């Protein structure tokens, strides 16, 4: 890959950015404001504990149009991981591929373009996951990294 861009990656444990029906309006507004601040300083933002549903990234498209947003959510609305990619990086990408390694807990986003191939993996280990399950998930992440033809972060 001839022209790999310089970029910044940030990670944020949001503690329920999408739980507005359970939170007071000011708390939800504060979380969205914090999210927007983080996005201003990052080309890639990995959010953990979003506590949402599959339709919630469309909310981010409206609230934070500077980035493209991809997510994986658990059926119970617990967990929830999001990967947001700035539009400046997205311009280098022809194809985005989402690989859900553990619904709501681990998402890989492959960004593939003619001169740029990067895979971003966002993991939030479920504390209640048994040790063997954690080992299995980490092995799945290692396999996804090894199989991807580009850089993995």
């Amino acid at each position: 890959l001839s022209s790999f861009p310089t970029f910044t990656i940030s990670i944020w444990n949001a503690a329920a950015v999408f739980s507005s029906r359970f939170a007071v309006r000011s708390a939800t507004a504060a979380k969205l404001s914090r999210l927007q601040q983080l996005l201003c300083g990052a080309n890639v933002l990995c959010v953990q504990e979003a506590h949402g549903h599959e339709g919630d990234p469309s909310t981010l498209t409206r609230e934070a149009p500077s980035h493209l947003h991809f997510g994986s959510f658990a059926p119970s609305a617990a967990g929830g991981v999001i990967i947001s990619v700035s539009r400046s990086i997205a311009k280098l990408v022809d194809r985005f591929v989402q690989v859900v390694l553990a619904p709501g807990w681990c998402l890989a986003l492959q960004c593939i373009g003619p001169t740029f191939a990067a895979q971003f993996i966002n993991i939030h280990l479920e504390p209640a996951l048994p040790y063997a399950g954690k080992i299995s998930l980490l092995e799945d992440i290692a396999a996804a990294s090894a199989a991807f033809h580009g850089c993995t972060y």
Side-chain angles (χ1 to χ4, degrees), residues 14-147:
V17 72
F18 289 123
S19 65
S20 59
R21 68 181 178 159
F22 302 114
V24 293
R25 182 174 289 222
S26 61
T28 300
K31 286 189 185 216
L32 283 174
S33 176
R34 180 66 179 143
L35 178 77
Q36 290 166 336
Q37 289 174 339
L38 290 167
L39 289 169
C40 285
N43 298 110
V44 178
L45 177 64
C46 294
V47 178
Q48 300 165 348
E49 288 196 46
H51 292 209
H53 299 282
E54 293 299 329
D56 285 330
S58 64
T59 299
L60 292 180
T61 300
R62 183 181 66 250
E63 297 291 331
S66 61
H67 287 62
L68 301 179
H69 309 280
F70 305 86
S72 172
F73 301 92
S76 66
V81 291
I82 296 168
I83 300 174
S84 299
V85 177
S86 70
R87 292 192 182 271
S88 63
I89 295 294
K91 286 191 285 188
L92 304 172
V93 176
D94 295 331
R95 184 168 48 110
F96 292 97
V97 178
Q98 294 184 82
V99 180
V100 176
L101 297 170
W105 302 103
C106 188
L107 173 67
L109 179 65
Q110 298 173 351
C111 306
I112 303 162
T115 62
F116 175 73
Q119 175 174 240
F120 302 97
I121 298 178
N122 187 3
I123 179 174
H124 183 71
L125 278 176
E126 161 60 60
L129 188 64
Y131 179 76
K134 290 175 182 172
I135 295 298
S136 178
L137 179 55
L138 293 172
E139 288 172 344
D140 290 346
I141 290 170
S145 296

